[in-house]
C-alpha cells in the first residue's frame, strides 16, 4: 500500500526506515482522460526552466518529488547536479551536456547479437532492481474512450541518469518481455508525455542494436529544459493521406508520426508506429524512437506551437557495445539533437560538423535507407485500404 499523505492523497516517497521499503508496496499513479493535456504546454518566453521551476502537473509533481528523494537517499550511481550545457553553433542547434559520471559509471551493456534476441532471465533485468528504485505504477482509469485497458507499467529511476528526472517505463516486468516495442509500452510513453505540463519531458526507445543496454522491455523518460529542432522542423509527406512524413532538416533524417492528442487518433498512431518497428525488427534493422511535444507535420518552423505529439523513428546500422573513444554514443537522444558528452575535452571542442559526422556514421547506407522508406510507405498504404 502507498504511504498515506493527508486524507485522500497518495505519497510516492519512501518511508524513513530502509527496512520498510520492501513492505510498503508500490503506489499507484491513477490518471484519467482530463489529465492528458492536448494543448497549452508551450515553452516560456523567458529562458527554459527545470521541471521543478515551471508549473507542475500532478504527474510531474509525483515524478519529481519521488525522483529527488531517491537522489538524496543515494539510490543512484552518482549525484546528478546541474549539468554544464552549451548549444553548438550551427543550423541544427545541438544541445551538448557534459555528463562525465554517466560515461564512467553506467552499467556495462549486455552481450547483444540480434535485434530480436530473446529475454534471458539470468542477465540483469528490472525484476532484480532494489525496491526503492520504483517510484510508482502508472494506472489509467478504465473509462478512457476508444482505448484498450493499459497493462501495468512501472516508473523506475535510471540509476545512471543523463538528465533531471531520468526514469524508465517498464511494462509488466514479470512477463520478461524482450526489448521489442509493443503497443502498450508505446501508449504508456505517449500518455506520460501528455501527462506532463513541461514541454521538455521527452520519452524514447532504443532497440537492441540501437544501444539498448538491457534486453528487458523499457522506454526512457527525462526532462531536458531546452528546445530541440525535431519539435518543429518541417517535413514532407510520404503518402497521400499524410500519415507518414520524412523529417529532413534535423540531425538525421527520420520518419515522423503525429497525433493531436488522446483518443482514436492516438490509437491509430500507436498501431502505425508499431507496424513500422515490427518491420524493422523482423528485418534485423536497429532503430531508435523519440517522443516529444511538437508541431503538426508540414511547413512548420522551430518556433511553431506545440499543438500535439511527434514520434520520430530512425532506422540505423546495428551497433553492439559501446564505443569508448567517441565523444558520445548515438542513440535516441543524440539523434534528436541532445548530446550527453563524456569528457571535458570533447565537450569544449565538439563542433556541429563533428557531431553530424558521428551520427552520419550510424545511419543506414543510402540504398538500404531507400528500401526501408519504400517498405514503410507500402505498410502505410496497406493500412489505408
Amino acid at each position: 500500500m502507498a504511504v498515506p499523505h493527508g486524507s485522500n492523497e497518495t505519497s510516492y516517497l519512501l518511508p524513513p526506515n530502509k527496512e520498510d521499503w520492501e513492505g510498503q508496496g508500490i503506489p499507484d499513479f491513477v490518471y484519467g482522460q482530463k489529465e492528458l493535456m492536448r494543448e497549452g504546454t508551450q515553452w516560456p518566453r523567458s529562458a527554459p526552466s527545470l521541471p521543478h521551476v515551471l508549473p507542475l502537473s500532478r504527474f510531474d509533481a509525483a515524478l519529481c518529488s519521488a525522483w529527488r528523494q531517491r537522489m538524496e537517499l543515494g539510490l543512484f550511481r552518482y549525484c546528478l547536479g546541474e549539468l554544464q550545457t552549451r548549444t553548438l553553433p550551427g543550423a541544427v542547434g545541438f544541445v551538448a551536456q557534459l555528463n562525465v559520471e554517466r560515461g564512467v559509471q553506467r552499467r556495462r551493456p549486455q552481450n547483444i547479437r540480434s535485434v530480436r534476441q530473446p529475454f534471458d532471465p539470468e542477465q540483469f533485468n528490472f525484476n532484480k532492481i532494489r525496491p526503492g528504485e520504483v517510484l510508482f505504477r502508472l494506472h489509467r482509469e478504465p473509462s478512457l474512450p476508444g482505448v484498450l485497458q493499459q497493462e501495468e507499467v512501472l516508473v523506475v529511476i535510471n540509476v545512471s541518469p543523463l538528465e533531471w528526472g531520468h526514469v524508465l517505463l517498464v511494462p509488466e516486468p514479470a512477463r520478461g518481455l524482450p526489448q521489442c516495442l509493443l503497443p502498450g509500452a508505446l501508449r504508456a510513453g505517449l500518455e506520460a508525455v501528455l501527462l506532463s505540463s513541461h514541454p521538455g519531458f521527452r520519452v524514447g526507445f532504443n532497440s537492441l542494436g540501437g544501444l539498448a543496454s538491457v534486453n528487458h522491455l523499457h522506454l526512457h523518460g527525462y526532462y531536458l529544459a531546452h528546445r530541440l529542432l525535431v519539435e518543429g522542423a518541417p517535413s514532407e509527406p510520404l503518402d497521400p493521406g499524410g500519415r507518414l512524413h520524412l523529417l529532413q532538416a534535423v540531425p538525421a533524417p527520420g520518419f515522423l508520426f503525429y497525433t493531436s492528442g488522446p483518443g482514436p487518433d492516438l490509437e491509430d498512431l500507436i498501431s502505425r508506429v508499431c507496424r513500422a518497428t515490427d518491420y524493422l525488427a523482423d528485418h534485423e534493422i536497429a532503430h531508435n524512437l523519440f517522443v516529444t511535444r511538437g508541431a503538426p507535420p508540414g511547413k512548420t518552423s522551430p518556433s511553431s506551437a506545440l499543438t500535439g505529439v511527434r514520434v520520430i523513428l530512425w532506422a540505423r546500422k546495428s551497433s553492439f557495445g559501446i564505443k569508448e573513444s567517441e565523444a558520445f554514443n548515438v542513440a535516441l537522444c543524440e539523434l534528436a539533437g541532445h548530446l550527453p558528452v563524456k569528457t571535458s575535452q570533447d565537450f569544449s571542442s565538439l563542433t556541429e560538423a563533428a557531431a553530424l559526422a558521428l551520427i552520419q556514421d550510424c545511419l543506414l547506407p543510402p540504398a538500404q535507407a531507400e528500401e526501408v522508406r519504400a517498405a514503410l510507405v507500402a505498410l502505410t498504404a496497406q493500412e489505408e485500404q
Side-chain angles (χ1 to χ4, degrees):
M1 294 294 292
V3 177
H5 182 71
S7 56
N8 298 313
E9 210 174 318
T10 299
S11 173
Y12 304 98
L13 303 182
L14 293 170
N17 297 322
K18 187 175 181 180
E19 294 77 16
D20 297 332
W21 292 358
E22 190 161 3
Q24 165 182 305
I26 301 170
D28 284 324
F29 182 91
V30 182
Y31 62 96
Q33 172 86 16
K34 292 181 179 179
E35 291 186 81
L36 301 177
M37 292 173 281
R38 292 174 179 266
E39 298 178 357
T41 302
Q42 305 294 333
W43 288 107
R45 293 182 180 180
S46 58
S49 303
L50 288 171
H52 54 278
V53 178
L54 286 175
L56 298 176
S57 69
R58 193 170 66 91
F59 171 80
D60 294 317
L63 192 157
C64 291
S65 63
W67 196 91
R68 184 187 298 110
Q69 186 210 33
R70 271 54 166 197
M71 179 64 71
E72 293 168 350
L73 290 171
L75 290 175
F76 292 80
R77 292 189 171 215
Y78 49 86
C79 183
L80 186 80
E82 189 168 344
L83 296 173
Q84 192 175 345
T85 304
R86 73 185 185 98
T87 301
L88 303 189
V92 174
F94 281 113
V95 176
Q97 291 188 311
L98 180 61
N99 193 335
V100 176
E101 288 84 359
R102 179 171 168 83
V104 173
Q105 298 193 40
R106 67 176 297 186
R107 181 179 287 108
R108 297 294 303 174
Q110 294 174 0
N111 185 20
I112 304 296
R113 297 186 180 87
S114 166
V115 177
R116 281 282 193 189
Q117 188 162 313
F119 174 79
D120 181 356
E122 299 302 315
Q123 295 286 330
F124 170 79
N125 62 76
F126 300 114
N127 295 311
K128 299 183 179 184
I129 63 176
R130 297 168 292 179
E133 294 179 25
V134 182
L135 303 185
F136 49 82
R137 181 189 295 107
L138 278 178
H139 183 73
R140 182 176 3 89
E141 290 178 351
S143 59
L144 288 183
V147 297
L148 301 174
Q149 178 62 36
Q150 180 71 310
E151 56 260 38
E152 173 183 296
V153 178
L154 297 186
V155 179
V156 177
I157 62 170
N158 188 321
V159 294
S160 302
L162 59 84
E163 243 295 7
W164 176 268
H166 189 176
V167 294
L168 304 174
L169 307 179
V170 186
E172 300 189 276
R175 288 180 60 190
L177 299 168
Q179 184 66 351
C180 289
L181 191 62
L182 294 176
L186 179 56
R187 184 181 299 109
L190 287 159
E191 292 188 349
V193 169
L194 289 166
L195 284 168
S196 175
S197 61
H198 195 294
F201 182 73
R202 277 67 175 243
V203 164
F205 172 84
N206 296 321
S207 79
L208 300 179
L211 262 64
S213 58
V214 176
N215 185 18
H216 192 184
L217 182 57
H218 65 284
L219 284 78
H220 294 261
Y222 72 102
Y223 295 92
L224 178 68
H226 297 271
R227 294 177 184 268
L228 295 174
L229 184 61
V230 293
E231 297 169 20
S235 63
E236 63 176 82
L238 295 179
D239 70 296
R243 293 151 63 93
L244 179 66
H245 278 69
L246 184 68
L247 279 182
Q248 287 281 24
V250 290
F255 298 102
L256 172 64
F257 304 81
Y258 176 83
T259 178
S260 57
D265 186 51
L266 184 72
E267 293 300 309
D268 181 60
L269 176 140
I270 291 167
S271 174
R272 286 184 282 123
V273 171
C274 288
R275 286 191 70 180
T277 55
D278 282 348
Y279 168 85
L280 295 175
D282 289 344
H283 290 78
E284 280 294 324
I285 300 171
H287 47 281
N288 307 94
L289 181 140
F290 193 76
V291 182
T292 182
R293 296 269 183 177
K299 296 182 179 179
T300 54
S301 70
S303 61
S304 295
L306 310 180
T307 56
V309 176
R310 285 185 164 202
V311 178
I312 303 107
L313 174 65
W314 292 276
R316 46 88 57 82
K317 294 177 185 173
S318 290
S319 177
F320 300 114
I322 297 294
K323 297 179 180 179
E324 301 293 355
S325 61
E326 306 290 10
F328 57 84
N329 299 306
V330 179
L332 68 92
C333 57
E334 291 82 4
L335 289 164
H338 172 214
L339 310 178
V341 181
K342 304 176 203 173
T343 70
S344 298
Q345 181 177 349
D346 285 328
F347 177 75
S348 59
S349 64
L350 187 63
T351 64
E352 181 180 277
L356 287 171
L358 274 176
I359 290 173
Q360 184 66 36
D361 190 49
C362 294
L363 303 183
L364 295 176
Q368 189 180 11
E370 182 55 39
E371 183 180 321
V372 169
R373 173 173 166 167
L376 297 195
V377 170
L379 280 175
T380 304
Q382 290 174 16
E383 294 167 4
E384 292 177 347
Q385 290 176 357

